Amino acid sequence: MANIWKQFENLLERDATLVAEVISINPSNVTVELLSGDRVNVRDGGVGAAAGEIVFIRGGEVVQKTQALPRHNLILY
């Protein structure tokens, strides 16, 4: 009988999907700003995103454009 935990792990995605705003586009990469405010360089996945657009990042690559998502800041005590 196969290990059921290993089968479950194989169903999970390895890389998290992040939401970011495109800051600039270079010939070899794209600079994006994550929701945390960090700026990182990622590969252009051929999506054709322009500066100012919101994109999904997975595995260090732009995978999809999206609309601006609503954001709420909460202060938890």
Side-chain angles (χ1 to χ4, degrees), residues 5-73:
W5 183 255
K6 289 294 182 188
Q7 290 177 349
F8 173 72
E9 283 182 337
N10 290 336
L11 295 174
L12 301 175
E13 291 185 20
R14 299 284 183 234
D15 296 319
T17 302
L18 304 172
V19 178
E21 179 181 354
V22 176
I23 300 300
S24 65
I25 300 173
N26 304 317
S28 60
N29 60 22
V30 178
T31 302
V32 297
E33 184 174 308
L34 303 174
L35 294 177
S36 64
D38 296 334
R39 290 189 179 192
V40 294
N41 292 324
V42 295
R43 294 182 309 273
D44 183 11
V47 177
E53 290 187 320
I54 306 296
V55 294
F56 290 127
I57 308 291
R58 185 180 310 127
E61 182 177 22
V62 177
V63 293
Q64 184 179 356
K65 290 192 291 187
T66 185
Q67 299 174 355
L69 304 171
R71 293 170 56 175
H72 303 281
N73 294 328

